[in-house]
Amino acid sequence: MANNLDSKRVFARAIDPIHIGAGGYRLGLVDNTIIRDPATDVPKIPGSSIAGVAREYYTIYEMEKECTLTDEAEKRKHAEEKAKGIFGDENKKGKLRFYDGQIILFPVSSQQGTVWITTKELMEYWFNEAKSEGDNRINIPKKVSDEAYVVKGIKEDSSYLNLGWLLLETEKVDFDCSRCIALPKKIDSWAGKIVIISEKLFSHVVNDNLEIRTSVKIDPSTGAAEPGKLFTYEAISRGTVFGFEIGVDKDADVTEILNQVNPYFKFIGIGGMGTRGFGRLELFYDGKIDAINRDNSLSA
């Protein structure tokens, strides 16, 4: 990255299904689809969505925790001015640049229970050498074909593994033909069973195992369903692990900002269908502090 720009990696686990709508209808199984990467067809969380939500939550934090004004309109104005200094506006570039949230580990039902699928390329990009003693070192294959490569949590005597409708032969990871990477302790606890599959299968398995729900519009005057108002929508499954990066100007304390907005991601969330139980994310990053005390101090 540029000399005056650092990079911060953030991981997130979906506590609820996540629906980031594509903004229209298309022919297919569902009416309201979610945003996908056009190159891979894998669902994602756009960086603009993360940035917008983070900005609003920072503004709310400033209003609730930092601002001493009593008038609500003035508090909002003061908090928005502080947010502009960090996130920018139409006239000034912000100190933080949010990039798309990418699915790293996706949960799929199997005869072995819930299995998190991923690819060799994703594991190599997002996880490197161990940073602490609590990190879990695992071996991943250097080359991948059409088998399912068990890297964590599944009995070695299983010859086949079903991932939804798909049945794959399992393959042991040969120590001599593998690369050792380290899963941070928190992410290791999020995904109990991990299987690596090929990139060409990954998008198909993900898209075939998304959550699909059906709703109907209610007429407020009668309390009954409106005729012809049945609709379906899809969402990224609960338990999915994402990764996204933030470009940070060197004079910005991104860890402090993340600690301030993190509780709102966990209890309010991101995306649509929030009143239907969607959207909450649990974040993990270096320097995370889990709780904010009422006296405005931060504590672990």
Side-chain angles (χ1 to χ4, degrees), residues 236-254:
I236 302 171
S237 304
R238 178 174 62 90
T240 300
V241 178
F242 301 89
F244 65 91
E245 294 176 293
I246 306 174
V248 186
D249 286 355
K250 288 189 175 181
D251 61 342
D253 189 347
V254 66

Side-chain angles (χ1 to χ4, degrees), residues 6-7 15 22 33 35 38 71 75 81 102 104 114 128 138 146 153 157 159 169-170 187 218 228 231 238-239 273:
D6 289 328
S7 177
I15 302 175
T33 57
I35 290 180
D71 182 76
K75 286 173 67 174
E81 286 299 319
Q102 186 177 27
I104 305 174
T114 303
N128 298 305
I138 60 175
D146 291 336
D157 57 357
S159 300
E169 289 187 48
T170 59
I187 298 173
I218 302 298
F231 64 96
R238 178 174 62 90
M273 308 294 178

Side-chain angles (χ1 to χ4, degrees), residues 106-110 113-117 162-165 205-206 209:
F106 184 81
V108 179
S109 176
S110 77
T114 303
V115 172
W116 279 259
I117 63 167
N162 71 304
L163 301 173
W165 58 268
V205 177
V206 169
N209 288 276

Side-chain angles (χ1 to χ4, degrees), residues 14 16-25 30-36 43-46 49 53 210-213 215 231-238 240 242 269-281:
D16 304 317
I18 306 295
H19 177 90
I20 310 292
Y25 294 88
V30 296
D31 299 313
N32 296 341
T33 57
I34 54 178
I35 290 180
R36 290 170 165 80
K44 67 177 182 177
I45 301 179
S49 296
V53 170
L210 295 174
E211 182 167 344
I212 297 177
R213 291 196 188 182
S215 291
F231 64 96
T232 57
Y233 49 96
E234 61 185 1
I236 302 171
S237 304
R238 178 174 62 90
T240 300
F242 301 89
I270 188 172
M273 308 294 178
T275 58
R276 292 177 169 89
F278 283 29
R280 292 181 300 164
L281 285 174

Side-chain angles (χ1 to χ4, degrees), residues 119-165:
T119 69
K120 177 180 75 72
E121 291 76 14
L122 287 171
M123 296 294 278
E124 288 177 339
Y125 182 82
W126 288 101
F127 307 114
N128 298 305
E129 300 299 326
K131 294 183 178 179
S132 67
E133 292 183 1
D135 291 349
N136 182 22
R137 292 170 175 82
I138 60 175
N139 293 318
I140 63 172
K142 292 181 180 179
K143 293 183 180 180
V144 174
S145 56
D146 291 336
E147 289 80 21
Y149 295 82
V150 177
V151 297
K152 177 177 179 281
I154 296 178
K155 296 178 181 179
E156 294 184 357
D157 57 357
S158 301
S159 300
Y160 292 90
L161 179 68
N162 71 304
L163 301 173
W165 58 268

Side-chain angles (χ1 to χ4, degrees), residues 36-66:
R36 290 170 165 80
D37 189 310
T40 63
D41 202 39
V42 175
K44 67 177 182 177
I45 301 179
S48 57
S49 296
I50 302 171
V53 170
R55 181 187 184 120
E56 179 60 22
Y57 290 161
Y58 180 80
T59 303
I60 295 172
Y61 171 84
E62 286 294 328
M63 291 177 64
E64 292 181 343
K65 305 292 183 179
E66 300 295 336

